[in-house]
Amino acid sequence: MENRTARLSVLIDPVKKEIFEEICRLHDLTPSQVVRQMIREFIHTRGSSEQLARMPRSRLSQD
């Protein structure tokens, strides 16, 4: 994991949160792990080459 972290707060419908947490548990993942993976995938698919160059290489494929 990176040396420094930043907190991101997200407002979500309580029912969606409950379902999301259930699915995470079924896959033995924490919600934070899944959100970090989704963010990496979003950056990888939508980021510019300049933005991707700022990403630590090991973070493009790992949690």
Side-chain angles (χ1 to χ4, degrees), residues 29-43:
L29 296 166
T30 66
S32 291
Q33 288 173 312
V34 175
V35 170
R36 285 191 299 266
Q37 178 63 35
M38 287 189 288
I39 291 171
R40 279 193 303 277
E41 290 173 6
F42 186 86
I43 290 170

Side-chain angles (χ1 to χ4, degrees), residues 11-62:
L11 297 178
I12 184 171
D13 174 78
V15 174
K16 289 177 186 164
K17 179 180 181 283
E18 180 183 341
I19 294 168
F20 177 65
E21 290 173 336
E22 287 174 13
I23 295 168
C24 290
R25 272 192 304 276
L26 288 171
H27 292 275
D28 198 28
L29 296 166
T30 66
S32 291
Q33 288 173 312
V34 175
V35 170
R36 285 191 299 266
Q37 178 63 35
M38 287 189 288
I39 291 171
R40 279 193 303 277
E41 290 173 6
F42 186 86
I43 290 170
H44 183 70
T45 58
R46 296 180 183 231
S48 68
S49 57
E50 294 158 351
Q51 290 166 325
L52 293 174
R54 294 195 334 245
M55 286 286 290
R57 292 289 172 208
S58 63
R59 301 307 296 169
L60 285 174
S61 60
Q62 300 176 14

Side-chain angles (χ1 to χ4, degrees), residues 1 4 9 39 47 50 56 63:
M1 184 171 280
R4 295 177 52 158
S9 296
I39 291 171
E50 294 158 351
D63 188 28

